[in-house]
Amino acid sequence: MSQRFTVTAFSKDEDNCRLSGRKGEINQLFEGDEATPGSSDKGGAAQEQEVDKGDGNPKESSPFINSSDVEKSQQYDGKNMALFEEEMDTSPMVSSLLSSLANYSNLPQGSKEHEEAENNEEARKKPVKAPRMGTLMGVYLPCLQNIFGVILFLRMTWVVGIGGVMGSFIIVFMCCSTTMLTAISMSAIATNGVVPAGGSYYMISRSLGPEFGGAVGICFYLGTTFAGAMYILGCIEILLIYIVPQAAIFKLEGLEGPEAEAALLNNMRVYGTCVLTLMAIVVFVGVKYVNKLALLFLACVICSILAVYAGVIKTSFDPPDFPVCILGNRTLVWKGFDVCAKVIEKDNGTVTTKLWRLFCDSEFLNATCDEYFVNNNVTAIQGIPGITSGILAENIFGNYMEKGMIVEKRGAPSVMDPDAPVTNSNRYVLADITSFFTLLVGIYFPSVTGIMAGSNRSGDLRDAQKSIPIGTIMAITTTSLVYMSSVIMFGACIEGVVLRDKFGEAVNGNLVIGTLAWPSPWVIVIGSFFSTCGAGLQSLTGAPRLLQAISRDGIVPFLRVFGHGKANGEPTWALLLTACICESGILIASLDAVAPILSMFFLMCYMFVNLACALQTLLRTPNWRPRFKFYHWALSFLGMSLCLSLMFICSWYYAIVAMVIAGCIYKYIEFRGAEKEWGDGIRGVSLSAARFALMRLEEGPPHTKNWRPQLLVLVSVDAEQNVEQPRLLSLTNQLKAGKGLTIVGTALEGTFLDNHPQSQRAEQSLRKLMETEKVKGFCQVVISSNLRDATSHLLQAGGLGGLQHNTVLVSWPRNWKQPEEHQTWRNFIELVRETTAAHLALLVPKNISAFPSNGERFTEGHIDVWWIVHDGGMLMLLPFLLRQHKVWRKCKMRIFTVAQMDDNSIQMKKDLTTFLYHLRIDAEVEVVEMHDSDISAYTYEKTLVMEQRSQILKQINLSKNEREREIQCITDVSRGSIRRKNPAAVGTQLSVTEEQPGGSEEEKPEEEVQLIHDKNATPTTPASPQSPAEGAETPGEKVQMTWSDKFDGDKGKPPGATSPEGIKDIFNMKPEWENLNQSNVRRMHTALRLNGVIVNKSQEAKLVLLNMPGPPKNRAGDENYMEFLEVLTEGLNRVLLVRGGGREVITIYS
């Protein structure tokens, strides 16, 4: 199919004319205006101006922010985009979007302020953009500098000597595998989008969320800080032991054992503190100098390593001369003697050596000497026999030592008395710590850390997504090869006793790795000294910036002060805290003790990097699209497992402490930290877990043992969208001892399009109140054409899948008797019907404003339960849940039940007590007996008033104001007739005569149950209420007084006329009594009697729980139903009407 397009050229004037005409047509199309002939440019501009207003909330990414209408029209003109004109405010054109993306600045949060401050300070200077770095300078070399460190030079030979070549190789392989797997995971995360400067912390926090990000970020910060302490201690060790031993403040000469060890540690503390102070000042004054010296320090490291390799090659044909003196099989400290022999031949005579004088009391041959010295020969062996000597076989296996043991040569003859104590121990090379495999892992692991150096510089890289994976993996490969080859080279070139000699005492105080170097040991000594200084400076530079990044994210409130710094953004306060923490590491003073501490923190950081990658891969998040493709979730899990294993291998107690620290930070951020939504993987886990759990819940209804109130709380809002019954949320909080689901819902009247802003305000109001009342749950706002439908929608649509509400909590409608509120109580009754149909439990607190807030405490009182019908146990469960809350904890529970005439109340009490015992509920039990009695005149009067009001509401078709006046008039008349009765007669009932038939006695239980569980509007067997004339012997003047004032009665009848005939005459004068609905009369009678009993027993109770009767199925009697409930609860302060959902909610079984 072919299409033909015709392009017509117009002049400039014609083009403008046609363009304005097109704009007018387009605007009419979108604005919905009728086309007006000859619409001018002015009208089009006016319409366009209105279009440009948009939704009033321009987005930050919009290219039209702060631009004038003229600029906008220029943007639209000639771009054929008039169809999308109205959306330009919120949806920029692609060309604008691409332009903004091209100018993207990948600065970390908080760095823009730094940049602005520098620009303000140097406004006169034109800012020069720093050149972007490639893979080699930006990632590879910084990683090399951070990975190669103090452990390689000071402890690697000792690790090989103690663990053996095989054991050391396993340690190196494990640690290098861990970092390689972590680098693969890190590469996947780093190439999944732009990583601003901030490196590992940024990656972890944005992948695992603010809680994990903060916890791991602080652990990484602590690890970097302790790494600074370790480098400074290494620097001091090199200085005091190998360069200028005489500079020691606490002299070691003449000291043995613990005293010598303490003196060495004190020297480390003093010098370490001085060096730390000096380094902190350097970092504070100018970081730029540290960065400039970085390459110099790296050159020292590389030269030192090359010197070692050159020395190894040289040993194959010309081993260096470093003799080691062995007495028997014990290695001697080469100090204080020059010849490794007891005696030497001199001038045809035998002369003792300096070594003799160290073990004997005089220089003569007949001197008294050390027993071991006398019994064993002195031999000198080469400390560096060379790579071709075959010494590798001797060093293949480990030789772990206890603290204080003498370093011995394997296979050398030794004569000694096992029971004789070791004398002159300071002459021998001793083990300074007890060594074991896990200790070696903890000491060695810091030498493979530093793999994050490249990602930390991501802001300075030309192409971070390409450079970070390649540079990091190349650096780890290089360092791993160096470490593994070093293990084999050290084992193949150096004598075992020298390897196990940590401080080189057997080789005249030389650095052991230095003895292997070519051309001189000083190459290694000076190189390692400068490299440790540089690494310490780098740590003191990087750690404060990491802390500043965490502080500026605002996820840990108490760290916010450390986000501030100098005008140019330098983290002054963070540097101060870093120096203090670093000083705590220096006070430990032992490199071997500090190394496992920072191993923990780095391992935890690496573990979470692997976890982040594994989670993102398994969850298949749509945004997970790394450019680096050589990753797999199994590799990430393997790396995570290795990290966790190494943590406990290094030091289980340090691992637990590190986890506790991370856990505390996690919980603190969760409890107090700022809410952040970073699209993290943990949220994805939550979604997956929630989906899985919801699918499981769908499998069937919960068992009775697992039943808990899942509340749908229905609240109403005023015109300002503020909640009208805040105490309803307080009650919700007090009921949530059973945990479970809470949905707080409200209904708005109108349409969604018109009322959406009100809906958002109402939702915000609900959330704020839920936060205030500490109610954990969800809020939901539904808009419908009327409130009745909106509430019904809430009832039907609330919840999701198996996580549905099973209980509705709604407040009793206040002022329901007011004519303008007639729709409110109708809605309430419909809600009761709907909850019954949906088999939901219903809780209706009456007088909700009198309920306690969460801050109140009842020190005494009772929660009274009136258990009239069995509703599945809701009445038993609710007080138990309430008493779990501190408001109701001190209240005692009382359960009342009603006994009829033919019930055995004593047996009922026993059974109820047993039932409560099996339910494990502590409560007092009381059985209230309600004897049958006749219907009182007051009951008839209340029923009459009720029905009159109902008739008026139904039949009188007047205007609203007239109807209100009419109802008020009738209500006043009815109330006046009640008030004119003797107050004592209000509660008096017409007693039953002895001649009365007994059929009425059997009807009473049915009447009471009829009130609670009404199934029909009228009973199936209409009650045959006996005429009041047949059984009334109440003094006639009381009844006569009530009615003779109101109607045309016999006003002259004497007060003493009390005969039944006289009362019959009175009743005959009241035809409206005979016309009353007898079902309503009986219900009112039951309500009044129950109310009297409840008020009598529970008026002082803090809360009364009561079975809620069901509404009549015939809607004609709805208003009567409200009156019955009002009468039933009259005179009670706090009432909670409870209606069960038709299932058991409590069980006696475990």
Side-chain angles (χ1 to χ4, degrees):
M1 177 180 176
S2 63
Q3 293 180 332
R4 177 176 294 177
F5 296 95
T6 304
V7 180
T8 306
F10 294 100
S11 67
K12 187 175 182 182
D13 293 338
E14 286 178 317
D15 189 48
N16 291 337
C17 180
R18 290 175 182 275
L19 183 61
S20 65
R22 290 283 183 274
K23 284 170 60 179
E25 292 171 11
I26 294 293
N27 286 332
Q28 290 162 8
L29 174 65
F30 277 94
E31 293 292 330
D33 296 337
E34 293 182 6
T36 54
S39 61
S40 65
D41 288 342
K42 184 176 180 182
Q47 291 172 347
E48 188 176 353
Q49 186 175 359
E50 187 165 342
V51 171
D52 289 339
K53 290 179 183 177
D55 59 0
N57 298 309
K59 303 295 183 289
E60 192 176 351
S61 59
S62 172
F64 303 123
I65 293 178
N66 300 325
S67 61
S68 66
D69 294 334
V70 177
E71 290 172 342
K72 292 180 188 177
S73 63
Q74 289 173 356
Q75 295 266 0
Y76 302 143
D77 287 353
K79 296 203 175 181
N80 303 319
M81 287 295 157
L83 189 63
F84 299 96
E85 219 167 86
E86 292 185 355
E87 302 172 16
M88 283 294 181
D89 272 349
T90 55
S91 304
M93 289 171 59
V94 173
S95 56
S96 310
L97 176 68
L98 294 176
S99 173
S100 62
L101 283 177
N103 296 324
Y104 171 75
S105 171
N106 58 353
L107 289 168
Q109 293 179 338
S111 291
K112 289 188 178 178
E113 293 86 344
H114 182 187
E115 188 183 57
E116 288 166 5
E118 284 188 337
N119 290 341
N120 291 336
E121 281 183 0
E122 303 176 3
R124 62 186 180 276
K125 296 181 182 179
K126 187 178 180 181
V128 180
K129 193 172 183 182
R132 297 288 183 176
M133 291 184 289
T135 303
L136 183 69
M137 294 298 295
V139 181
Y140 180 72
L141 293 180
C143 283
L144 279 188
Q145 182 188 358
N146 279 265
I147 295 173
F148 286 136
V150 63
I151 300 295
L152 173 63
F153 300 117
L154 294 184
R155 294 290 182 271
M156 191 69 179
T157 53
W158 177 77
V159 168
V160 174
I162 296 293
V165 172
M166 187 178 291
S168 304
F169 194 87
I170 291 171
I171 292 172
V172 172
F173 183 78
M174 267 202 311
C175 296
C176 292
S177 300
T178 303
T179 52
M180 180 60 81
L181 292 171
T182 304
I184 291 171
S185 300
M186 186 192 71
S187 299
I189 297 172
T191 58
N192 185 51
V194 180
V195 178
S200 55
Y201 161 69
Y202 183 92
M203 289 190 295
I204 295 169
S205 60
R206 270 55 176 182
S207 296
L208 293 179
E211 294 88 359
F212 276 110
V216 178
I218 290 175
C219 283
F220 191 55
Y221 162 74
L222 291 173
T224 308
T225 306
F226 275 104
M230 182 186 74
Y231 290 130
I232 292 172
L233 289 173
C235 173
I236 302 303
E237 185 175 308
I238 293 169
L239 181 72
L240 292 181
I241 295 179
Y242 305 113
I243 299 178
V244 278
Q246 58 273 20
I249 297 172
F250 301 90
K251 301 300 180 183
L252 299 178
E253 283 79 6
L255 299 179
E256 293 187 24
E259 294 178 353
E261 184 181 353
L264 177 63
L265 295 182
N266 288 332
N267 283 322
M268 302 283 278
R269 292 184 181 109
V270 173
Y271 277 96
T273 304
C274 296
V275 170
L276 172 63
T277 307
L278 185 64
M279 286 184 174
I281 292 171
V282 170
V283 171
F284 177 76
V285 169
V287 177
K288 61 178 94 171
Y289 302 115
V290 177
N291 293 330
K292 286 177 180 177
L293 290 172
L295 278 179
L296 175 64
F297 297 140
L298 177 61
C300 292
V301 174
I302 294 175
C303 287
S304 301
I305 293 172
L306 292 177
V308 171
Y309 277 98
V312 169
I313 295 170
K314 183 174 177 291
T315 61
S316 62
F317 56 86
D318 183 18
D321 183 29
F322 282 100
V324 177
C325 198
I326 304 292
L327 175 62
N329 63 353
R330 297 177 180 178
T331 308
L332 295 174
V333 175
W334 197 291
K335 188 177 182 182
F337 64 92
D338 52 356
V339 179
C340 184
K342 294 181 181 180
V343 292
I344 56 172
E345 298 293 329
K346 187 176 182 183
D347 299 332
N348 296 324
T350 303
V351 181
T352 57
T353 61
K354 291 182 180 179
L355 181 61
W356 177 280
R357 294 163 202 161
L358 293 177
F359 286 91
C360 301
D361 57 2
S362 72
E363 59 183 12
F364 303 109
L365 291 174
N366 59 354
T368 305
C369 296
D370 181 85
E371 183 181 353
Y372 188 82
F373 180 77
V374 173
N375 295 335
N376 292 275
N377 295 324
V378 175
T379 54
I381 61 172
Q382 272 300 327
I384 312 293
I387 197 167
T388 58
S389 63
I391 197 73
L392 180 64
E394 192 177 311
N395 294 329
I396 200 76
F397 297 109
N399 191 1
Y400 299 100
M401 306 171 70
E402 296 286 333
K403 182 177 180 179
M405 280 180 61
I406 299 171
V407 176
E408 299 176 345
K409 177 168 173 55
R410 291 175 180 169
S414 174
V415 178
M416 63 175 292
D417 183 1
D419 300 326
V422 176
T423 54
N424 293 300
S425 59
N426 60 329
R427 309 298 180 199
Y428 303 115
V429 178
L430 303 176
D432 64 329
I433 57 171
T434 300
S435 53
F436 38 89
F437 181 79
T438 57
L439 175 76
L440 299 184
V441 176
I443 291 175
Y444 171 75
F445 187 80
S447 67
V448 296
T449 60
I451 63 171
M452 301 289 188
S455 61
N456 289 344
R457 293 167 177 255
S458 55
D460 301 324
L461 297 175
R462 190 180 302 120
D463 184 358
Q465 297 193 8
K466 178 183 176 184
S467 298
I468 289 176
I470 296 174
T472 306
I473 292 173
M474 277 175 55
I476 292 175
T477 305
T478 305
T479 53
S480 299
L481 290 174
V482 169
Y483 284 136
M484 291 178 186
S485 61
S486 297
V487 169
I488 296 170
M489 287 190 307
F490 294 161
C493 294
I494 304 175
E495 173 63 49
V497 291
V498 179
L499 287 174
R500 290 190 288 278
D501 179 8
K502 184 183 289 184
F503 301 111
E505 295 170 309
V507 284
N508 209 11
N510 279 299
L511 182 62
V512 175
I513 193 173
T515 60
L516 192 59
W518 179 87
S520 167
W522 286 101
V523 175
I524 296 287
V525 172
I526 301 300
S528 60
F529 177 74
F530 280 114
S531 74
T532 50
C533 287
L537 282 170
Q538 291 284 353
S539 296
L540 288 179
T541 305
R545 278 158 179 69
L546 181 58
L547 181 62
Q548 187 182 44
I550 297 170
S551 305
R552 287 185 171 176
D553 262 350
I555 56 174
V556 185
F558 71 83
L559 289 180
R560 282 179 185 154
V561 65
F562 298 108
H564 307 297
K566 292 194 289 187
N568 63 349
E570 290 298 323
T572 310
W573 291 106
L575 176 62
L576 187 63
L577 178 67
T578 302
C580 293
I581 297 173
C582 197
E583 176 64 20
S584 68
I586 287 171
L587 291 177
I588 296 173
S590 171
L591 186 70
D592 303 320
V594 173
I597 296 175
L598 67 102
S599 295
M600 290 303 117
F601 292 124
F602 278 121
L603 279 166
M604 183 165 286
C605 178
Y606 296 165
M607 181 175 75
F608 281 106
V609 169
N610 285 299
L611 175 63
C613 180
L615 280 182
Q616 299 274 32
T617 309
L618 286 175
L619 292 173
R620 296 177 183 173
T621 315
N623 193 50
W624 180 246
R625 303 185 299 274
R627 287 191 179 279
F628 181 77
K629 301 298 182 184
F630 305 101
Y631 69 93
H632 193 270
W633 63 266
L635 293 177
S636 299
F637 267 120
L638 179 60
M640 188 179 69
S641 306
L642 272 173
C643 289
L644 190 62
S645 304
L646 285 174
M647 283 177 70
F648 283 92
I649 286 172
C650 292
S651 173
W652 63 268
Y653 45 89
Y654 278 159
I656 291 173
V657 170
M659 287 181 166
V660 167
I661 291 172
C664 291
I665 298 167
Y666 178 96
K667 295 307 291 183
Y668 177 80
I669 295 172
E670 187 180 54
F671 181 67
R672 291 288 306 278
E675 292 292 331
K676 298 283 183 184
E677 177 52 65
W678 287 332
D680 50 87
I682 294 298
R683 187 171 179 83
V685 172
S686 303
L687 287 170
S688 296
R691 184 179 66 87
F692 176 76
L694 284 170
M695 299 301 290
R696 289 289 303 273
L697 286 174
E698 280 285 323
E699 293 176 4
H703 191 273
T704 303
K705 290 185 288 187
N706 296 327
W707 194 93
R708 59 188 66 190
Q710 318 273 25
L711 290 176
L712 170 62
V713 186
L714 298 178
V715 297
S716 56
V717 293
D718 56 20
E720 300 298 321
Q721 277 72 50
N722 294 319
V723 178
E724 291 182 335
Q725 310 102 353
R727 287 293 169 87
L728 208 57
L729 273 294
S730 302
L731 179 62
T732 304
N733 176 272
Q734 293 155 26
L735 277 169
K736 292 317 289 177
K739 306 296 182 188
L741 173 73
T742 303
I743 302 173
V744 181
T746 190
L748 298 179
E749 196 168 0
T751 63
F752 183 75
L753 290 177
D754 295 337
N755 296 82
H756 184 58
Q758 290 91 319
S759 167
Q760 289 183 315
R761 284 201 300 273
E763 187 170 345
Q764 190 175 0
S765 175
L766 288 180
R767 288 188 191 281
K768 188 174 180 182
L769 184 61
M770 289 172 71
E771 188 176 338
T772 304
E773 297 293 342
K774 297 180 180 176
V775 173
K776 293 185 178 179
F778 311 99
C779 59
Q780 196 168 353
V781 181
V782 172
I783 306 174
S784 187
S785 56
N786 59 75
L787 293 179
R788 171 74 238 113
D789 289 346
T791 308
S792 180
H793 296 160
L794 265 175
L795 204 68
Q796 297 173 57
L800 180 65
L803 197 63
Q804 297 274 5
H805 53 270
N806 54 28
T807 306
V808 178
L809 176 62
V810 63
S811 179
W812 175 261
R814 297 177 300 166
N815 308 322
W816 67 271
K817 293 185 180 180
Q818 299 297 327
E820 62 271 12
E821 297 288 334
H822 72 97
Q823 194 57 43
T824 305
W825 61 260
R826 290 187 187 280
N827 291 348
F828 174 76
I829 295 176
E830 286 301 307
L831 177 66
V832 177
R833 286 196 175 101
E834 287 179 357
T835 55
T836 306
H839 301 291
L840 300 174
L842 179 66
L843 309 179
V844 182
K846 194 164 181 286
N847 195 13
I848 185 64
S849 58
F851 276 67
S853 67
N854 291 326
E856 296 179 42
R857 303 285 184 278
F858 289 131
T859 55
E860 57 181 0
H862 294 93
I863 299 176
D864 286 357
V865 177
W866 284 83
W867 193 22
I868 299 168
V869 296
H870 181 57
D871 59 351
M874 280 286 288
L875 282 171
M876 307 293 169
L877 189 61
L878 291 175
F880 169 78
L881 296 178
L882 282 172
R883 289 181 64 219
Q884 307 301 306
H885 196 274
K886 51 194 171 186
V887 173
W888 304 93
R889 192 164 290 152
K890 298 291 179 65
C891 294
K892 294 182 179 175
M893 183 175 164
R894 295 190 302 190
I895 296 185
F896 297 89
T897 189
V898 178
Q900 305 299 324
M901 189 62 109
D902 54 350
D903 290 330
N904 184 342
S905 58
I906 298 174
Q907 187 61 39
M908 278 180 69
K909 185 172 183 178
K910 277 186 184 179
D911 294 343
L912 183 53
T913 305
T914 306
F915 180 58
L916 291 176
Y917 176 78
H918 287 307
L919 287 177
R920 290 92 65 201
I921 291 177
D922 297 325
E924 299 177 24
V925 175
E926 188 170 340
V927 177
V928 178
E929 296 183 354
M930 283 184 60
H931 298 296
D932 293 335
S933 62
D934 200 6
I935 301 171
S936 66
Y938 181 58
T939 304
Y940 279 100
E941 176 68 11
K942 289 281 285 185
T943 311
L944 179 62
V945 172
M946 178 183 73
E947 291 201 354
Q948 284 176 342
R949 182 167 59 244
S950 301
Q951 290 301 320
I952 289 166
L953 289 172
K954 290 176 185 175
Q955 295 173 6
I956 299 181
N957 187 15
L958 302 172
S959 69
K960 183 178 179 184
N961 292 334
E962 291 173 322
R963 190 163 65 231
E964 288 176 9
R965 286 197 299 272
E966 185 70 25
I967 291 173
Q968 190 62 43
C969 176
I970 293 176
T971 306
D972 291 344
V973 171
S974 302
R975 286 177 177 167
S977 70
I978 295 173
R979 289 195 193 99
R980 283 193 295 274
K981 294 169 66 176
N982 187 327
V986 173
T988 308
Q989 301 169 347
L990 298 173
S991 57
V992 183
T993 60
E994 295 176 359
E995 296 86 16
Q996 177 174 332
S1000 178
E1001 294 179 4
E1002 297 174 0
E1003 289 172 4
K1004 290 304 174 189
E1006 180 193 343
E1007 290 169 7
E1008 289 164 5
V1009 171
Q1010 186 71 21
L1011 176 72
I1012 308 300
H1013 268 311
D1014 179 42
K1015 301 300 180 188
N1016 299 289
T1018 56
T1020 51
T1021 54
S1024 53
Q1026 64 183 59
S1027 171
E1030 295 176 10
E1033 53 182 28
T1034 304
E1037 61 177 345
K1038 297 177 182 176
V1039 180
Q1040 186 178 4
M1041 191 192 307
T1042 304
W1043 297 106
S1044 58
D1045 294 343
K1046 187 176 176 183
F1047 298 105
D1048 297 336
D1050 187 1
K1051 296 181 181 180
K1053 192 170 179 73
T1058 59
S1059 65
E1061 289 79 7
I1063 293 177
K1064 183 177 181 181
D1065 291 337
I1066 293 171
F1067 280 120
N1068 288 337
M1069 288 188 292
K1070 306 295 172 274
E1072 53 267 62
W1073 281 19
E1074 296 177 357
N1075 296 331
L1076 291 176
N1077 184 322
Q1078 295 305 311
S1079 173
N1080 287 342
V1081 172
R1082 289 186 296 106
R1083 295 180 188 200
M1084 184 64 77
H1085 173 59
T1086 309
L1088 280 168
R1089 293 200 60 217
L1090 270 175
N1091 176 256
V1093 173
I1094 294 171
V1095 169
N1096 182 38
K1097 294 284 186 182
S1098 301
Q1099 195 161 20
E1100 300 301 320
K1102 301 299 182 187
L1103 178 64
V1104 176
L1105 283 86
L1106 182 65
N1107 284 115
M1108 181 179 182
K1113 290 184 179 179
N1114 181 5
R1115 285 177 169 78
D1118 281 357
E1119 60 278 358
N1120 300 340
Y1121 172 71
M1122 297 296 290
E1123 186 68 46
F1124 293 144
L1125 293 182
E1126 194 71 62
V1127 169
L1128 182 63
T1129 57
E1130 199 170 3
L1132 298 172
N1133 186 24
R1134 297 184 195 92
V1135 182
L1136 186 60
L1137 294 170
V1138 181
R1139 186 160 173 77
R1143 61 161 294 165
E1144 293 291 333
V1145 301
I1146 195 166
T1147 177
I1148 64 173
Y1149 299 105
S1150 61

